[in-house]
Amino acid sequence: MQTLTKYKSLQAFVINIASVSNAVALAFFMIATASGYKLPGGAWMVYLISPIALVGLIYNFFVFNRVNGRLPYMATYFALVFILLQFFVVIVFTGGFNSQYYAAWLLLLTISCCLSIRAFYINAAIALGSFVMLTFLMVPQGQGWSFNFVALALNGLAVFFGALLALAFQNFKQAAQTADRITNQLDSTKFSEKLMLASIADAVVGVDNKRKIVLFNSAAEDMTGWDAQSANDIFYTNVLKLKDANGNDVTNANDPFLQVFEQKSTLTTDSFHILDKEHNKISLSLSIAPTVDVNNEISGAIAVLHDISEQKAVQRERNEFVSTASHEMRTPVAAIEGYISMANNSNLATIDDRAHSYLEKAHQSALHLGKLFQDLLSVTKIEDQRLNDTRQVFNLSDLVTQVANEMEMVARKKNLQLFTHIGGSSNHHETVIAPVYNVRADAERIREVLTNLVDNAIKYTASGSVDIELDGNRNFVTVKVRDTGMGIGLEDQKHMFEKFYRVNNSMTREIGGTGLGLYIARSLIELYGGQIKVESKPGAGSSFIFSLPLVKNA
């Protein structure tokens, strides 16, 4: 489109020059004839040039537009042909090859070749024909027939440079058309992207690998109060003032974009919020996906921010009800459990074996019910941010070793082997110096998460081993609990950390559970700025992996 616009401007310039030249030539020769001015060719010069100029004017004003619709480049060239013919007539009557206008005529003939390849072919024919014509026109003038090698060389140079111009312009035209086509496609793609971004109700924010904003849709403008132009190329925390569950500003330790860059995977969390213009809290469901360049290197990330303030409000009301109900029911459940324990005590009551088996099952059910109420209370406290949270810096290596020692007896009862790998070594068979991985969190809460993951691995592994692996890098420490159990299908993996979700198979139905343990684990890990995920294949075991930000210079 840009090439076509530029060419139309050039085309209009050429037509105007040609029209002015034809008009001036026609007027000059008419005035010269009327005033008796002696021209080099006399009346014949007027008889030849005036009709050519008149036809040129008629072409420019009445025929050009029709030809231009089909052959735009040739239409412009035809306007120059009439100027070339007038020049040739002047050359014939002013000395032929010796005319002072001959070099200018060849130059114009050469330059006009740039309009198209067809123009070059026509000009080459004109140059050859004019050379032959001028050669034979010299005889009647008494000069005798002679072959002008200088004129032949000049015509040859004109044809040669005309060919170069024609080819160069042809290549340029093709390249420009290709560039215009690509530009139009890019403009169309950008327009489509803008339409799509504008139609998305959720805020969309894109950042580069330096966390500077490169994408900002209208919903993000409404949410933050910034316009896209002002927000562009600004560090995102200056525009999107994320706060964690405790109301603190995001730091490098819990920055979700840094976690995405580090883990090179998508992050979904609802543990952040922002404040609007009136300083009202907007709870967010934040989904961040990394973007990669042609070398498959992280080039940035795109975040989708969904306002879940209303859902959070409803959830708080529901949690309040569940919390109150769970708290009130814990007392009678504890009483039931106590009375069943007393009935099972042979020193306090006398029952037969059948009744004892019934009471044992009732006791297990009461324990399960008590665990359910306890988990429900934990969930409501986490979601309402009422969890007793005593954070301190501690070495995760020590905690992993302690939990492994505590769970080793549980594994032995099922004839399973429990291995611990800290920093790439197994401390079951050798003495190693465990690396120090300092994290800031509530140690008891992390113990609860790790114990839950190891206990699940033991419960759902019929034979083989359970491995606890601990490793880290400059920014994060990662704990992996790997088993040799039955594995988890891909469809179930998508829901593993949802409330009350349990894989539906014979083993899970036999073992039982509340379906809240992994949800609590995910909530606690994200509370401390970490991330948890599952990797598994049916029949090949499962790995539950969580990472926490390291405390540097502790």
Side-chain angles (χ1 to χ4, degrees):
M1 187 62 70
Q2 293 178 354
T3 303
L4 183 60
T5 302
K6 291 178 180 178
Y7 179 74
K8 285 184 177 180
S9 300
L10 175 63
Q11 193 179 54
F13 174 76
V14 171
I15 294 299
N16 290 334
I17 293 295
S19 299
V20 170
S21 298
N22 287 323
V24 169
L26 185 62
F28 173 77
F29 287 110
M30 290 177 64
I31 293 173
T33 302
S35 62
Y37 180 77
K38 293 183 178 180
L39 298 170
W44 280 104
M45 193 172 185
V46 176
Y47 296 153
L48 291 173
I49 291 181
S50 296
I52 294 174
L54 180 61
V55 173
L57 285 174
I58 294 173
Y59 171 81
N60 291 345
F61 288 108
F62 301 105
V63 182
F64 170 77
N65 288 332
R66 295 184 180 181
V67 179
N68 189 49
R70 295 182 179 180
L71 301 169
Y73 294 95
M74 292 304 297
T76 307
Y77 172 75
F78 289 149
L80 292 175
V81 166
F82 298 102
I83 307 298
L84 290 171
L85 289 175
Q86 293 174 51
F87 252 96
F88 184 73
V89 172
V90 172
I91 289 169
V92 169
F93 288 102
T94 56
F97 293 130
N98 298 321
S99 172
Q100 58 183 336
Y101 303 108
Y102 187 65
W105 180 75
L106 287 178
L107 180 63
L108 181 61
L109 199 69
T110 302
I111 294 174
S112 63
C113 289
C114 71
L115 291 175
S116 68
I117 291 292
R118 293 179 181 178
F120 162 71
Y121 293 144
I122 296 174
N123 284 352
I126 291 176
L128 178 62
S130 64
F131 177 79
V132 174
M133 186 180 298
L134 289 175
T135 298
F136 285 98
L137 282 175
M138 296 296 102
V139 177
Q141 296 180 11
Q143 299 179 12
W145 190 91
S146 63
F147 194 82
N148 194 322
F149 289 98
V150 175
L152 179 63
L154 289 176
N155 277 269
L157 288 174
V159 171
F160 174 73
F161 285 110
L164 293 181
L165 280 175
L167 290 173
F169 182 79
Q170 184 74 8
N171 293 334
F172 170 77
K173 182 177 71 173
Q174 293 175 352
Q177 289 174 343
T178 302
D180 284 349
R181 185 167 60 253
I182 294 174
T183 301
N184 291 336
Q185 291 175 351
L186 290 174
D187 290 341
S188 176
T189 302
K190 289 180 179 178
F191 182 69
S192 300
E193 289 177 351
K194 288 181 178 179
L195 283 179
M196 288 189 292
L197 286 174
S199 64
I200 296 176
D202 291 331
V204 178
V205 178
V207 301
D208 59 18
N209 54 11
K210 296 181 180 178
R211 292 180 288 169
K212 290 185 177 181
I213 293 175
V214 295
L215 184 66
F216 208 71
N217 74 341
S218 57
E221 293 178 339
D222 296 336
M223 179 177 286
T224 62
W226 284 67
D227 63 88
Q229 186 174 1
S230 300
N232 188 51
D233 203 34
I234 291 181
F235 197 74
Y236 92 93
T237 55
N238 295 328
V239 176
L240 190 65
K241 300 183 182 298
L242 288 179
K243 296 183 179 295
D244 61 19
N246 297 317
N248 299 318
D249 291 334
V250 166
T251 64
N252 287 343
N254 63 347
D255 190 314
F257 285 97
L258 280 182
Q259 292 182 41
V260 168
F261 294 159
E262 183 69 28
Q263 303 293 335
K264 296 183 179 180
S265 61
T266 301
L267 170 66
T268 301
T269 177
D270 58 2
S271 58
F272 294 96
H273 67 272
I274 62 172
L275 301 178
D276 62 12
K277 299 176 183 178
E278 288 75 28
H279 297 284
N280 296 317
K281 179 179 177 181
I282 301 178
S283 298
L284 298 175
S285 173
L286 188 62
S287 179
I288 307 177
T291 58
V292 296
D293 57 20
V294 293
N295 297 319
N296 205 32
E297 297 291 334
I298 297 292
S299 61
I302 294 179
V304 178
L305 299 86
H306 180 59
D307 185 351
I308 56 171
S309 299
E310 292 185 6
Q311 295 94 311
K312 285 282 189 178
V314 173
Q315 188 180 54
R316 280 193 297 271
E317 294 179 3
R318 184 175 65 249
N319 288 345
E320 187 64 31
F321 170 76
V322 172
S323 177
T324 302
S326 300
H327 182 74
E328 293 299 324
M329 284 187 283
R330 284 180 64 190
T331 301
V333 168
I336 293 171
E337 183 185 339
Y339 285 126
I340 293 175
S341 297
M342 292 172 63
N344 271 330
N345 191 334
S346 59
N347 295 325
L348 300 177
T350 302
I351 56 174
D352 57 22
D353 291 339
R354 179 178 293 182
H356 179 75
S357 65
Y358 294 156
L359 288 174
E360 186 62 34
K361 291 179 181 179
H363 186 250
Q364 292 299 323
S365 297
L367 289 175
H368 176 70
L369 190 58
K371 180 67 167 60
L372 174 60
F373 289 147
Q374 181 61 45
D375 287 346
L376 285 172
L377 281 173
S378 296
V379 167
T380 55
K381 287 179 180 179
I382 290 172
E383 293 179 344
D384 291 342
Q385 300 175 16
R386 294 185 290 107
L387 191 69
N388 292 328
D389 182 24
T390 306
R391 299 193 186 193
Q392 58 184 356
V393 177
F394 65 93
N395 183 7
L396 191 57
S397 297
D398 295 338
L399 181 62
V400 168
T401 302
Q402 294 169 14
V403 172
N405 292 334
E406 294 168 1
M407 299 300 296
E408 189 168 10
M409 187 58 67
V410 181
R412 285 181 181 178
K413 289 181 179 179
K414 287 195 64 177
N415 294 320
L416 298 176
Q417 290 182 301
L418 179 62
F419 297 109
T420 307
H421 309 271
I422 298 180
S425 299
S426 172
N427 66 7
H428 274 250
H429 303 290
E430 57 182 321
T431 301
V432 297
I433 300 176
V436 176
Y437 296 115
N438 286 322
V439 297
R440 186 184 300 278
D442 189 322
E444 291 306 312
R445 299 297 179 186
I446 301 301
R447 179 191 295 273
E448 179 182 350
V449 171
L450 187 54
T451 302
N452 186 288
L453 295 180
V454 176
D455 185 55
N456 281 348
I458 294 172
K459 285 194 299 185
Y460 296 106
T461 301
S463 62
S465 63
V466 173
D467 290 74
I468 307 173
E469 301 175 6
L470 180 67
D471 205 355
N473 53 32
R474 292 182 300 173
N475 299 312
F476 291 89
V477 58
T478 301
V479 179
K480 177 188 289 187
V481 178
R482 179 165 47 89
D483 63 54
T484 57
M486 64 172 56
I488 304 168
L490 185 61
E491 187 62 33
D492 288 315
Q493 292 179 38
K494 300 176 183 178
H495 309 283
M496 287 303 297
F497 299 99
E498 296 177 2
K499 281 188 290 189
F500 301 110
Y501 186 82
R502 301 189 70 235
V503 178
N504 186 17
N505 58 41
S506 58
M507 178 174 281
T508 57
R509 286 192 295 269
E510 179 181 344
I511 294 174
T514 64
L516 291 172
L518 291 178
Y519 173 79
I520 294 173
R522 189 200 74 176
S523 301
L524 290 173
I525 293 300
E526 291 181 353
L527 179 65
Y528 301 121
Q531 188 177 3
I532 189 170
K533 62 181 179 179
V534 59
E535 296 176 353
S536 183
K537 289 183 180 179
S542 304
S543 294
F544 285 85
I545 307 160
F546 71 85
S547 59
L548 290 170
L550 286 171
V551 176
K552 300 178 181 179
N553 301 322

